[in-house]
Amino acid sequence: MFERTKSRGLVGVVSGLSLALGLVSGVGAAGGEVKVTPLGSHDGEFCSRDRALVFEDPNGTRILYDAGRTVAGPDDQRLGDIHVVLVSHMHGDHIGDQRIAKPNAGTCASPDTSVSTLPQSNTVDIAVKKQAKIVTGSEMPAFFAAKLSDSGGDPANSLLVRFGAEREVGGVAITTVPAVHSNGVSPSFLTGPLAEHLKAAGVGASVGPPTGYVLTFSNGLVVYLSGDTGITAEQEVVVKDHYGAELVVMNIGDTYTTGPKEAAYVINDLIEPKAVIASHANEPATAGGELKQGTRTSLFRDLVEVPVHVPLSGKTMAFDGDAACTAGCN
C-alpha cells in the first residue's frame, strides 16, 4: 500500500507512512546537494594511488574518506575544514604511511609519495590538526585513540561504530558494513619490542575485520563506500535491501580488491544503485582529464548499467538526494 522510501528497511516503511499521514516533515524532505571532491595526486586526473574523497553534507559537515597517500598532510589547502575522518582498513595506501609533498609531483602512474608519516600516519596527522573525529569499526578505534594521544590530540575523538549500529556525527548517519579483505597493522606503525617481534615474524597486528561504510546525508542521499572488498553477500542483503544505497564508491583495482568485471557484477546485480563513482583503480586512468581506453576504469564504465563517474582530483561533483549528479560529473 505504501511505497518504501529510500530510508532503510522497516524504518523506511514507517517513515513513508508518517509522511503520507503528515505526521513528520523532516524525513527525506531536506534539500541541498552532497558535494564529493576527490583529492588525488594530480589535478584533474584519476591516478594510480588515488583513494581520498571529501564528502560535504548540505549542512556543511565535511567527511574525509581514506586519506591515503595523495593528501599532502594536514596543511593541504584542498582539505578545508574536516569534521570526520573515515578509515576502511589499516593498509598504508588507505591510512597513509607516506604522502605527497604537494600535488602534481611525479607522474600520474607513479606519483612522488616520498614524505614518510610513520609511525603516526597521514590520517592521524590530519585528524589532530583539524580536530576531527575518526570514526571506525572493528578494533580500530583503540588503535587510533592511542595514536591521537601520542600526537597530542584527544583520544576521545576516536569513535566506534560496529556492524549493525549507527552513529550520527554532524547530522550525517554513519555505519560500518562488512568487507572481505585483510586488516593487519604493519609493524612500521608501531614502536618498541612489539614492532620488532612482528617485523621479525613477518606479520602485522590484527585490529579486526576491515569495513565499508554506509553514510546517510541530511538530504536523504545514501552512499555506500566499499573500502577494499571482494564480492560479498552483504552487498545485496545489507547494503541494498536494508540501507538502500543509491550512490556507490566502488573499488575496481583487481588483484588486491575486486576487478572491474567483478565490481560491475556488484553494481548491476547486487546493489543496483542509481550511480557509482569508480575508486582504487591502481592505474593512471585518465590523461588530460579524459578516460583512457583499455584501462580497468573504462572497462568498468562499459560494463556498468548506471552512470559511472570518474573521480578527477579537485573536481567537485554534486549529488541530490536521489543520487542524480547535478554538477561537476563527467
Side-chain angles (χ1 to χ4, degrees):
M1 178 177 178
F2 294 98
E3 181 180 357
R4 174 182 287 190
T5 72
K6 56 194 174 185
S7 302
R8 291 145 290 180
L10 181 59
V11 174
V13 177
V14 172
S15 297
L17 175 61
S18 299
L19 282 168
L21 296 177
L23 299 178
V24 294
S25 59
V27 179
E33 298 166 324
V34 173
K35 297 177 181 178
V36 184
T37 305
L39 300 184
S41 64
H42 285 68
D43 295 340
E45 306 289 1
F46 181 31
C47 295
S48 63
R49 293 294 172 261
D50 292 2
R51 310 284 188 263
L53 297 171
V54 173
F55 292 83
E56 182 174 331
D57 189 87
N59 68 20
T61 297
R62 290 172 58 84
I63 299 173
L64 173 63
Y65 167 58
D66 278 356
R69 297 167 175 162
T70 65
V71 177
D75 295 322
D76 191 323
Q77 294 183 355
R78 302 174 300 171
L79 278 173
D81 291 333
I82 296 295
H83 305 103
V84 180
V85 179
L86 306 178
V87 181
S88 60
H89 64 293
M90 299 301 301
H91 291 169
D93 60 324
H94 290 259
I95 184 177
D97 54 352
Q98 53 188 255
R99 63 170 176 82
I100 61 174
K102 60 182 180 180
N104 306 312
T107 66
C108 187
S110 182
D112 181 356
T113 60
S114 57
V115 179
S116 176
T117 61
L118 298 171
Q120 301 299 67
S121 77
N122 203 16
T123 293
V124 171
D125 291 345
I126 292 168
V128 170
K129 183 69 175 285
K130 301 295 184 179
Q131 299 183 26
K133 311 290 186 184
I134 302 178
V135 180
T136 53
S138 300
E139 308 307 317
M140 291 185 279
F143 171 86
F144 282 114
K147 286 296 184 184
L148 289 173
S149 181
D150 290 344
S151 302
D154 184 354
N157 281 338
S158 179
L159 305 179
L160 169 68
V161 58
R162 288 215 175 105
F163 305 136
E166 185 177 275
R167 182 182 287 273
E168 185 175 303
V169 183
V172 180
I174 303 171
T175 189
T176 49
V177 293
V180 178
H181 196 55
S182 59
N183 198 27
V185 179
S186 167
S188 60
F189 288 108
L190 308 175
T191 58
L194 176 60
E196 296 302 319
H197 292 320
L198 291 172
K199 183 177 180 180
V203 297
S206 174
V207 286
T211 68
Y213 290 90
V214 173
L215 310 179
T216 304
F217 291 93
S218 65
N219 68 345
L221 179 66
V222 181
V223 180
Y224 167 54
L225 311 177
S226 69
D228 277 12
T229 189
I231 299 170
T232 74
E234 287 87 354
Q235 287 165 329
E236 180 175 18
V237 175
V238 178
V239 176
K240 182 185 78 170
D241 291 348
H242 182 64
Y243 290 108
E246 299 153 306
L247 176 63
V248 170
V249 176
M250 189 70 207
N251 55 295
I252 64 170
D254 218 350
T255 304
Y256 306 103
T257 71
T258 46
K261 295 179 181 178
E262 293 80 4
Y265 168 74
V266 170
I267 298 302
N268 293 337
D269 294 271
L270 299 185
I271 303 177
E272 300 179 294
K274 296 178 180 178
V276 59
I277 298 172
S279 180
H280 200 308
N282 291 342
E283 64 181 358
T286 62
E290 297 294 327
L291 186 59
K292 295 161 63 176
Q293 295 302 309
T295 58
R296 298 184 188 94
T297 308
S298 67
L299 176 59
F300 178 68
R301 179 203 59 187
D302 292 344
L303 292 173
V304 169
E305 298 168 358
V306 299
V308 174
H309 304 299
V310 179
L312 302 179
S313 181
K315 305 295 185 181
T316 298
M317 299 172 279
F319 295 89
D320 67 17
D322 293 315
C325 186
T326 60
C329 291
N330 50 77

